[in-house]
Amino acid sequence: MNHDELKKAVGWKALHYIKPSTIIGIGTGSTVSHFIDALYTIKDKIEGTVSSSLCSTQKLKSLGIPVFNLNQVDEVAVYVDGADEINPQMQMIKGGGAALTREKIVAAVAKKFICIVDSSKEVGVLGSSVPLPVEVIPMARVYVARRLIQLGGLPEYRLNVITDNGNIILDVYNLCIVDPIFLEKTINEIPGVVTVGLFASRSADVVLIGTKNGVKTIVKNN
Ligand code: 5RP
């Protein structure tokens, strides 16, 4: 099975976590795109969705799946999203699709976070295979970059990308993230940072991992 087939398998498996008449939080990316295809098959059974990006909103609407403004809903039952990396503590690096801030907001509201990934996303230590994205207010780009260098990172300006919120992305290389909760807090405190793509203090509750032997399910111990 190739990566896309593994992504499709977890996207469809996530349907098992959807209860009738609830509002579903929708992430962003190619794995989530498969989940949206699956959700389409039960669209008349759910109340609707809230979306983390214009891209996902466009796909949901094109399939006739209702999309609500987050400020108009009382509760988001589950949030389904992919990740760029996930560690054994179910903490993630996200933001490859530049949607990290809205993803973090919807994840914070949701009662349960279901992370759907193919096995290539599993790492022992975050930062091993991908840079860490940081969404930044444009006027603070150079200042934030300097502060990230002081933290040991090598920030790179993601060219030709403006987020749905009108901001820019710095991709930070060279970080060995041994204390994700501390680094998340530290970077979020830099003036000009909108949010960092470390999902550590709000980690996933369930992880569905697409492997060549089938979908592996990991549930957080509370
Ligand atoms: C977007 C994200 C995505 O979840 C992440 O990039 C994974 O994407 P894909 O499912 O295409 O591999 O964080 O901002």
Side-chain angles (χ1 to χ4, degrees):
M1 276 175 120
N2 63 30
H3 285 314
D4 194 56
E5 287 165 335
L6 298 176
K7 288 177 179 193
K8 184 173 180 182
V10 288
W12 282 77
K13 182 82 175 190
L15 267 195
H16 292 267
Y17 293 85
I18 307 306
K19 298 212 167 73
S21 307
T22 56
I23 292 181
I24 319 301
I26 307 290
T28 299
S30 54
T31 318
V32 164
S33 180
H34 288 300
F35 172 65
I36 296 174
D37 290 335
L39 196 62
Y40 171 71
T41 64
I42 58 160
K43 73 172 177 144
D44 297 328
K45 298 198 172 70
I46 62 167
E47 180 86 22
T49 62
V50 290
S51 169
S52 63
S53 65
L54 300 180
C55 180
S56 291
T57 300
Q58 202 173 22
K59 174 154 182 164
L60 290 160
K61 286 188 172 168
S62 73
L63 294 173
I65 302 173
V67 182
F68 297 110
N69 180 320
L70 184 61
N71 293 313
Q72 291 169 334
V73 305
D74 292 329
E75 189 177 289
V76 177
V78 294
Y79 177 59
V80 179
D81 199 358
D84 299 305
E85 279 187 353
I86 185 154
N87 70 10
Q89 291 71 43
M90 302 161 89
Q91 298 166 319
M92 296 150 281
I93 285 184
K94 295 183 42 54
L100 60 161
T101 300
R102 294 188 188 199
E103 290 173 344
K104 204 175 264 196
I105 294 168
V106 184
V109 173
K111 287 185 146 174
K112 191 178 269 191
F113 186 156
I114 318 276
C115 180
I116 51 174
V117 288
D118 68 86
S119 52
S120 70
K121 308 292 184 69
E122 284 185 289
V123 293
V125 177
L126 294 174
S128 308
S129 63
V130 295
L132 177 63
V134 183
E135 180 167 353
V136 175
I137 303 281
M139 71 169 284
R141 175 170 57 87
V142 172
Y143 171 70
V144 172
R146 284 193 194 119
R147 294 284 305 269
L148 292 168
I149 290 167
Q150 285 167 1
L151 292 173
L154 294 173
E156 202 170 277
Y157 178 27
R158 199 183 293 181
L159 291 172
N160 304 318
V161 171
I162 298 290
T163 69
D164 289 351
N165 313 306
N167 299 312
I168 59 118
I169 298 285
L170 294 176
D171 287 309
V172 192
Y173 291 82
N174 198 44
L175 290 172
C176 177
I177 307 173
V178 288
D179 188 345
I181 292 179
F182 177 75
L183 190 66
E184 181 178 17
K185 194 170 179 302
T186 303
I187 295 179
N188 276 337
E189 281 173 358
I190 301 172
V193 168
V194 179
T195 201
V196 60
L198 258 178
F199 285 56
S201 34
R202 202 293 179 241
S203 54
D205 300 299
V206 176
V207 186
L208 304 179
I209 304 169
T211 76
K212 59 179 176 14
N213 300 317
V215 176
K216 191 166 84 181
T217 303
I218 303 172
V219 180
K220 190 187 273 171
N221 297 321
N222 285 316

